[in-house]
Amino acid sequence: MQQHISSLGGNLQLAEIQFTEYDLSNGLHVILHQDDSLPVVVTSIMYHVGAKDDPKGRSGFAHFFEHLLFEGTVNIPRGEWFKLVTANGGSNNANTSDDRTYYYEVFPANQLELALWMEADRLKHPVINQIGVDTQKEVVKEEKRMRYDNRPYGMLLAEVKKHLFAQHPYQNTTIGEMEHIDASTLEEFQDFNKKYYIPNNAVLVVAGNFEIEQAKSWIDTYFGSIPKGSEIARIPIAEKPITQTIHATYEDNNIQIPMLVLAYRTPSMKNHEARVLDLISAYLSDGKSAKLYKKMVDEKKIALQMGAFNHSQEDYGMYIMYGIPMSGVSLEDLKKEIDAEIFKLQNELISETDFQKLKNKQANHMVDSRASLENIAHDLATFYLLHHEVNLINTEAQHYDTITREDIQQIAQTYLKTEQRLELAYNPKTQN
């Protein structure tokens, strides 16, 4: 067991998040964060399995499994999971990314034992049967229709991923292809559970108002007897560098106005470069005073919307810029204006005033990340599972504090090259 205590330096002073972490004999990693300011407790468990782990020809498996595990357990009948949570004053949810799947409950503090028992029972005794699979197939299909198929610009990220990744499974969407789910068998879902839903592929976080020794006792009681699973072989999949601009088009039946998308493949979220790209995103598009928005929406009035974001992931990231033109303005016109701002970043240091604004925005983001126990629990799990350094919750501000104006210029020069990007014309569907 280790107790981590460290102080923050630099311009940003945040209250330290204290935590205790240890391992059970079956490999489950446990992180406890005590906070008695409110009479609530968050229990969460993150599994190191996401869309990139979907079996070949079975895209959408990890996301589908997130839904499937709410069907019930040996001790919680089908349809009773949510009723049990709400009847005891709680709320819960789950989500899946390319890298991990995350489940959490928020309960009154006196219901911690219930929350731990429920998550342990879901890990040890899930009921994975045909009726659950058939039910969730319809749920996931409806979600895909709402979030992707019938949503304006809903396929933007899917199209970017498809073109930026030739080998890596990041090329697939998290929700997957419905024909893959339809073709899946019950045995395949059961095998997936056996492989990835094991204690040594997970981290359990308890955050809130509780007694540490009591929590440890309950965790040992409910999780300690769950058998350790087989070690998961993870083979790194490397992408060849992009050396020539990728040109692509996509037609969306749900839109009337085209969108320009410029996307770059970037390093892992664990790298210093990813943090610098976060600041570049804020500089270009975070708020109405950001450079791209102010120039193209407010001043020149050539765009209805402008944006840029750094989508950091475990193995690679994606830096995505997009713009929706005003009537009469071409996507080529937008691209020239965007490239002019990128050129400035690459050839001039941003002003000290703008740099300080960026640091202030990042400080505000850090403060916001501490605004709820749910955020803290999620960050503790993420820093352990994907970054392999839990104490980043206390030291990440220092990493951002070391970034210089020269770093911003150098990273823009290295990663935002025209020959290293996807240029996607996201157009309205052509009417026949």
Side-chain angles (χ1 to χ4, degrees):
M1 182 179 72
Q2 292 181 313
Q3 179 79 33
H4 285 271
I5 300 177
S6 63
S7 59
L8 292 172
N11 297 323
L12 179 60
Q13 298 297 321
L14 290 173
E16 182 183 301
I17 300 295
Q18 297 188 28
F19 60 90
T20 300
E21 60 175 326
Y22 63 99
D23 290 307
L24 298 185
S25 59
N26 58 15
L28 178 69
H29 194 72
V30 180
I31 303 173
L32 306 177
H33 165 62
Q34 198 174 31
D35 180 348
D36 60 4
S37 61
L38 293 172
V40 297
V41 64
V42 178
T43 304
S44 70
I45 187 163
M46 185 178 286
Y47 295 92
H48 199 178
V49 56
K52 72 179 179 188
D53 302 296
D54 290 340
K56 189 174 181 60
R58 292 293 184 263
S59 64
F61 236 65
H63 171 260
F64 188 88
F65 215 81
E66 170 210 319
H67 285 259
L68 196 58
L69 284 195
F70 282 102
E71 278 289 307
T73 72
V74 168
N75 297 300
I76 303 174
R78 183 170 183 268
E80 294 297 314
W81 181 279
F82 294 106
K83 294 178 183 178
L84 184 57
V85 171
T86 56
N88 288 277
S91 61
N92 70 157
N93 212 331
N95 53 71
T96 308
S97 76
D98 284 345
D99 298 315
R100 90 296 178 272
T101 308
Y102 185 61
Y103 304 82
Y104 67 94
E105 295 82 35
V106 184
F107 272 114
N110 62 358
Q111 296 295 344
L112 173 59
E113 184 178 11
L114 173 63
L116 291 170
W117 171 76
M118 290 180 72
E119 282 297 353
D121 208 51
R122 173 153 58 184
L123 174 56
K124 189 175 184 180
H125 299 301
V127 173
I128 302 170
N129 56 24
Q130 195 63 51
I131 188 172
V133 169
D134 292 342
T135 300
Q136 294 306 321
K137 280 182 180 180
E138 297 309 310
V139 173
V140 172
K141 285 178 182 178
E142 180 59 26
E143 181 181 350
K144 185 175 185 294
R145 284 189 287 267
M146 291 178 60
R147 292 179 53 196
Y148 291 82
D149 300 340
N150 299 328
R151 181 181 178 184
Y153 308 102
M155 294 300 294
L156 188 156
L157 192 58
E159 287 299 304
V160 167
K161 293 172 73 174
K162 181 174 72 176
H163 291 289
L164 283 188
F165 297 101
Q167 303 296 327
H168 197 284
Y170 282 164
Q171 65 188 249
N172 299 317
T173 62
T174 306
I175 203 163
E177 301 300 326
M178 289 306 98
E179 56 265 32
H180 291 175
I181 297 299
D182 282 337
S184 302
T185 66
L186 178 60
E187 290 72 24
E188 286 176 312
F189 287 113
Q190 292 170 338
D191 289 344
F192 191 85
N193 177 74
K194 183 178 179 180
K195 180 176 182 179
Y196 291 107
Y197 279 78
I198 53 178
N200 46 309
N201 193 45
V203 54
L204 172 70
V205 177
V206 179
N209 196 334
F210 64 94
E211 295 297 328
I212 287 183
E213 292 307 314
Q214 178 64 82
K216 289 170 64 179
S217 176
W218 284 331
I219 290 168
D220 185 63
T221 297
Y222 297 120
F223 287 91
S225 63
I226 301 174
K228 183 176 184 177
S230 300
E231 292 299 321
I232 299 169
R234 299 185 186 274
I235 302 172
I237 300 175
E239 288 281 354
K240 294 180 180 179
I242 298 171
T243 57
Q244 187 174 357
T245 306
I246 302 168
H247 297 278
T249 60
Y250 180 78
E251 292 189 347
D252 188 336
N253 196 44
N254 303 301
I255 65 173
Q256 288 78 47
I257 306 173
M259 173 185 281
L260 171 69
V261 183
L262 305 177
Y264 308 78
R265 192 195 308 142
T266 55
S268 162
M269 65 198 307
K270 292 173 280 190
N271 293 354
H272 175 74
E273 291 94 329
R275 296 185 177 95
V276 180
L277 287 163
D278 286 340
L279 293 190
I280 291 176
S281 293
Y283 177 77
L284 291 175
S285 73
D286 186 5
K288 293 186 176 181
S289 64
K291 294 300 178 182
L292 279 179
Y293 189 96
K294 186 176 180 180
K295 174 184 177 182
M296 300 174 69
V297 178
D298 285 346
E299 295 176 358
K300 293 195 172 185
K301 294 180 170 48
I302 61 172
L304 291 168
Q305 186 177 349
M306 292 299 306
F309 61 95
N310 184 36
H311 186 69
S312 294
Q313 297 172 282
E314 185 178 23
D315 298 339
Y316 289 99
M318 296 176 288
Y319 189 78
I320 301 172
M321 309 175 74
Y322 61 91
I324 300 176
M326 293 286 282
S327 178
V329 178
S330 70
L331 298 187
E332 189 66 28
D333 291 334
L334 288 191
K335 185 171 70 173
K336 288 178 182 177
E337 295 291 348
I338 293 173
D339 282 345
E341 290 302 318
I342 295 174
F343 183 82
K344 286 182 183 178
L345 275 177
Q346 293 169 332
N347 291 277
E348 304 171 13
L349 293 178
I350 68 172
S351 71
E352 284 285 3
T353 300
D354 286 337
F355 187 57
Q356 191 56 52
K357 285 181 181 178
L358 283 182
K359 290 298 185 77
N360 292 341
K361 285 181 179 179
Q362 188 59 37
N364 290 334
H365 173 73
M366 293 282 184
V367 171
D368 289 343
S369 71
R370 304 287 185 88
S372 70
L373 280 174
E374 293 98 312
N375 287 348
I376 292 171
H378 174 270
D379 287 351
L380 286 167
T382 300
F383 286 135
Y384 169 76
L385 199 74
L386 302 184
H387 293 262
H388 312 299
E389 187 180 347
V390 186
N391 203 44
L392 272 175
I393 199 164
N394 288 320
T395 62
E396 192 177 30
Q398 295 177 357
H399 289 283
Y400 280 102
D401 219 33
T402 65
I403 295 173
T404 65
R405 294 189 297 157
E406 288 77 12
D407 287 336
I408 290 173
Q409 182 181 30
Q410 187 263 318
I411 294 303
Q413 291 171 350
T414 303
Y415 294 105
L416 303 185
K417 296 178 180 178
T418 57
E419 67 270 22
Q420 293 177 186
R421 74 185 181 193
L422 163 68
E423 296 181 1
L424 172 65
Y426 195 105
N427 294 322
K429 180 77 171 179
T430 304
Q431 300 300 318
N432 294 326

